[in-house]
Amino acid sequence: MAWIQKSISMRIAYLNSEYPSLSHTFIESEVRELRRLGVEIRTFSARSTNQNGRLSKAHEAAAAETFVLQSGLLSLLRETLIAALVSPLGFLRAIIHGQRLATPGVASRVRHLAYVVQGVRLAREMARDALQHVHVHMANNGAAIAMMACAYDRRRSYSLSIHGSDEFFHVDTCALGPKVANARFVRCISNFCRAQIMAWSHPSCWDRLHIVHCGVDPDLYKPSQAQRLGCLRLLTVGRLHPIKGYELLLRACALLAKEGLAWELNLVGDGPLLAHLQGLADLLGIQDRVIFSGAIGQDQIGAHFDRADVMVVSSFMEGIPVVLMEAMSKRLAVVTTQVGGIVELVRNGIDGIYASPGSVESLANAIRPLAMQPSEAAKFGESARERVIEDFSVAGLGRGMLKLFTDTLSPPAPAAIETHDTDSLRE
């Protein structure tokens, strides 16, 4: 196809607030697939990744090639001074745009000055490497930094991938409307995501909102051939945070235990609720059936999938979790709350069973038939893998993003950044 051939000479930057990151491995997959298709990508991170972001060999390699904007305080300050002298108008323009994004209060004002400093460094580094465009995942500080870079140097442009749900909980503080308004395009991971952005952006922006699903490589997540016997093995993967609904999941499992049903639960991840959840498992008398596996690298997750029958998502809100796609590719059945974009991935009664969010009883009702008849989980798992292969593969993700870049970046970049007032849309 012509647009694929054009991509061979395409060079772009990718920016995230923290890259690589244990919870954002899907960005690494996206970068790898676009590179495979011929796009040259240079990766940037606002801050250095933490230890969890280097757990796997792939993470370590990604960290080694990534330019960290906050690194080297003296060089950062020197770069800022030179930038102000080279283009005082551009520097002033970036400061003005940064302060427009800031919410009331000294802390926010100062923080957005820091974004200007990082944005100026990004713009100058992009200029050195002849990069005209930067793509940012999430509408957080990374998007603000990209916006400042483009305010400083109008020859640069940016685009966004928005996943939710954090952006939709903090619409004002993350300045979702202005960041969307000034992006060349916004990639939404689901129809749900697109609808949320439409609710907080001006209608003039809506034709720049495009849906490209996240995806996984089914060949990297092939099902285990081991025979699964014994009790129903449940798996959940994510940060141990209140939004994940893990307390409700433990209580639902405790109900099933009282009914005499056999199950075990593996919680993979770390977070602020670890001690609380461990204590709750003890209180409910199910501690011998619950495994807290902690944070793991991406190269270790496959072993946990292989030991499971069912992937459980008990969250109160989600975008479309990539780890859920990985589990489905591994032929795991799904029990999930009917929230966010998940309903666009999981088909109720085909790939798994829906539960109502916030309900212990509904979670127990969804898990119960699979515990009573484990063979049903295998049937759901077969359909789940087919679903991922057909509509949520990394190959499809790469083609979709490549088409967005080639179609959108062919015209010249806009001459100036504008900020739309979206306050009237919130009334």
Side-chain angles (χ1 to χ4, degrees), residues 272-327:
L273 286 187
L274 175 59
H276 171 75
L277 294 174
Q278 289 173 329
L280 180 62
D282 291 342
L283 181 66
L284 295 172
I286 57 173
Q287 67 276 7
D288 57 337
R289 299 200 200 185
V290 180
I291 304 166
F292 291 89
S293 295
I296 62 171
Q298 190 64 19
D299 49 2
Q300 298 173 289
I301 189 64
H304 291 270
F305 289 142
D306 290 341
R307 290 194 294 269
D309 304 300
V310 179
M311 178 71 171
V312 183
V313 177
S314 53
S315 303
F316 305 137
M317 178 54 71
E318 288 283 357
I320 304 184
V322 174
V323 71
L324 181 52
M325 300 176 196
E326 294 169 351

Side-chain angles (χ1 to χ4, degrees), residues 323-365:
V323 71
L324 181 52
M325 300 176 196
E326 294 169 351
M328 291 171 68
S329 182
K330 276 285 195 176
R331 207 179 284 152
L332 268 63
V334 176
V335 168
T336 179
T337 47
Q338 196 173 357
V339 296
I342 287 180
V343 297
E344 298 174 42
L345 168 65
V346 179
R347 299 165 296 184
N348 190 37
I350 300 176
D351 309 311
I353 302 174
Y354 287 166
S356 299
S359 171
V360 172
E361 292 75 14
S362 185
L363 268 175
N365 291 340

Side-chain angles (χ1 to χ4, degrees), residues 3 14 88 99 105 182 191 200 211 232 294 302 304 339 363 379 391:
W3 54 268
Y14 257 62
Q99 293 307 297
N182 292 290
N191 286 287
W200 293 99
I211 297 172
L232 186 73
H304 291 270
V339 296
L363 268 175
K379 294 178 182 178
D391 295 311

Side-chain angles (χ1 to χ4, degrees), residues 129-263:
D129 209 17
L131 297 166
Q132 299 296 322
H133 186 80
V134 57
H135 186 71
V136 189
H137 273 263
M138 273 62 81
N140 52 19
N141 61 319
I145 291 168
M147 194 172 174
M148 298 308 100
C150 298
Y152 173 77
D153 186 348
R154 289 177 169 178
R155 296 170 297 178
R156 315 296 154 196
S157 62
Y158 75 91
S159 55
L160 299 173
S161 278
I162 295 184
H163 301 252
S165 55
D166 190 61
E167 295 96 334
F168 309 143
F169 290 152
H170 306 286
V171 174
D172 291 320
T173 54
C174 82
L176 180 61
K179 290 172 182 176
V180 167
N182 292 290
R184 291 295 296 275
F185 69 84
V186 178
R187 173 272 190 104
C188 314
I189 66 160
S190 67
N191 286 287
F192 170 80
C193 176
R194 185 173 188 267
Q196 295 299 302
I197 298 170
M198 291 172 76
W200 293 99
S201 61
H202 195 276
S204 62
C205 304
W206 293 355
D207 63 347
R208 284 181 276 134
L209 308 180
H210 306 273
I211 297 172
V212 177
H213 293 138
C214 293
V216 299
D217 185 349
D219 290 335
L220 292 180
Y221 296 96
K222 291 182 178 179
S224 170
Q225 300 304 313
Q227 189 175 11
R228 293 169 177 166
L229 300 172
C231 69
L232 186 73
R233 294 173 294 183
L234 306 171
L235 170 69
T236 190
V237 181
R239 190 162 181 261
L240 305 185
H241 184 278
I243 200 172
K244 297 297 184 179
Y246 290 146
E247 175 162 342
L248 274 63
L249 176 57
L250 290 178
R251 293 186 181 279
C253 288
L255 288 180
L256 299 177
K258 289 181 179 179
E259 297 172 13
L261 294 174
W263 56 266

